[in-house]
Amino acid sequence: FYTANNIYKLGGGVHSKLYYTRWCGGDVYSYRKIVKFITFVLFAREMSSIKLRADKIAAARIELDALKTEKNVREPDRGDLNDPTIEWRTEKPDYTVPNLNFLKGKSKNHVAGSLEEIVENFVKSWEMEASHKINPQQWKTVDSDKFMASTNGYDKYTHKQTVELGNYNWLMNHCPVELYDAKNESFESSHQIFHSAFTSGFPWEVLEVYSGPPKLVFSWRHWAEFNGEYKGNRGNGETINMNGICVVEINDDFKMTSLDVYYKPEEFLLQLQGKCPIPKQSLS
């Protein structure tokens, strides 16, 4: 006797013409009928998920437009999202929900056209490319031939390596493995870990810019509502903050040739594991 889960796991290695089973003690079903039924269930679940996502985006758009009018704030510029030639990792991203969470949670309201806003939008464009553009040659924020990135003075990575590893992995490659094992996470799995922990998104903002091009030095804040789960520890909606400094070298085309990030991810990861208290609210 097999449950639906057993059948699903067995599916790849079973001869469909010969295989029959009892489903939880009921009638005898052919393997083909079972696979057909499971396919229908998975398809229905996917359609339901797409509908829920569309409804969430539509509701967020209404709230976002109202917030922009009420507070006189602007959505961030995340780059060339409408370019039809872009090779996306999966699909073109929709930033309606992330933009809403960013505007609701940010601590700074930079002047339009200021260096702070320019740098903030530039980094958000880079993050969009790092998360969603699979072809490094299509990135507009990076000089692909010269770019090198590092965290806290540790190993340097080429542009190609950062694309393959994903931002989470190269940014936390120096962390103790009991907190985050970067070497055993893929691009996809690393994103899934933090998407599962922060189901409402993981916004980022510039706090202050200390020097302008060609060497940008600025402080930043990353924050999120811990309303998901990390390594078995479930959050209760607490806001987790992480702060740091970036040193970025820019060429004449306003593309990055180097990125050095300085921050302490250990406390952040300990908070996610429930091994360190989360301050009620600590905006820098």
Side-chain angles (χ1 to χ4, degrees), residues 148-203:
M148 299 294 292
S150 71
T151 305
N152 294 338
Y154 288 93
D155 298 340
K156 288 188 176 292
Y157 298 92
T158 65
H159 187 207
K160 184 174 183 292
Q161 288 173 318
T162 64
V163 173
E164 292 171 350
L165 290 170
N167 282 354
Y168 291 117
N169 288 333
W170 73 261
L171 281 166
M172 293 192 287
N173 192 38
H174 62 286
C175 289
V177 294
E178 62 270 18
L179 295 181
Y180 184 80
D181 190 1
K183 288 182 173 59
N184 285 313
E185 298 296 344
S186 65
F187 180 101
E188 290 76 16
S189 69
S190 65
H191 278 69
Q192 184 57 42
I193 286 171
F194 292 99
H195 287 172
S196 297
F198 307 136
T199 61
S200 299
F202 195 10

Side-chain angles (χ1 to χ4, degrees), residues 60-207:
R61 171 50 60 187
I62 293 172
E63 186 178 356
L64 179 57
D65 288 341
L67 182 64
K68 287 160 61 179
T69 300
E70 178 187 353
K71 302 292 186 180
N72 191 28
V73 291
R74 301 168 300 282
E75 290 184 66
D77 180 357
R78 298 182 186 267
D80 54 350
L81 290 167
N82 294 318
D83 183 346
T85 67
I86 293 175
E87 298 173 37
W88 300 111
R89 282 185 180 272
T90 53
E91 61 182 359
K92 173 184 171 181
D94 189 298
Y95 278 97
T96 304
V97 175
N99 286 350
L100 174 61
N101 291 327
F102 165 71
L103 292 180
K104 290 171 69 174
K106 68 189 182 79
S107 63
K108 301 290 185 180
N109 191 19
H110 300 304
V111 175
S114 65
L115 183 58
E116 287 78 11
E117 184 185 59
I118 291 170
V119 171
E120 188 169 78
N121 284 335
F122 179 76
V123 175
K124 287 186 178 296
S125 294
W126 168 74
E127 183 280 329
M128 179 277 290
E129 293 182 322
S131 297
H132 299 288
K133 285 187 178 182
I134 197 165
N135 182 352
Q137 298 304 317
Q138 291 188 326
W139 290 34
K140 302 291 183 66
T141 59
V142 168
D143 183 331
S144 189
D145 294 330
K146 296 181 179 180
F147 181 74
M148 299 294 292
S150 71
T151 305
N152 294 338
Y154 288 93
D155 298 340
K156 288 188 176 292
Y157 298 92
T158 65
H159 187 207
K160 184 174 183 292
Q161 288 173 318
T162 64
V163 173
E164 292 171 350
L165 290 170
N167 282 354
Y168 291 117
N169 288 333
W170 73 261
L171 281 166
M172 293 192 287
N173 192 38
H174 62 286
C175 289
V177 294
E178 62 270 18
L179 295 181
Y180 184 80
D181 190 1
K183 288 182 173 59
N184 285 313
E185 298 296 344
S186 65
F187 180 101
E188 290 76 16
S189 69
S190 65
H191 278 69
Q192 184 57 42
I193 286 171
F194 292 99
H195 287 172
S196 297
F198 307 136
T199 61
S200 299
F202 195 10
W204 181 96
E205 68 174 336
V206 162
L207 297 176

Side-chain angles (χ1 to χ4, degrees), residues 3-12 31 34 38-39 42:
T3 66
N5 190 49
N6 295 140
I7 295 166
Y8 186 73
K9 289 180 179 178
L10 286 168
Y31 173 76
I34 293 169
I38 293 174
T39 300
L42 294 176

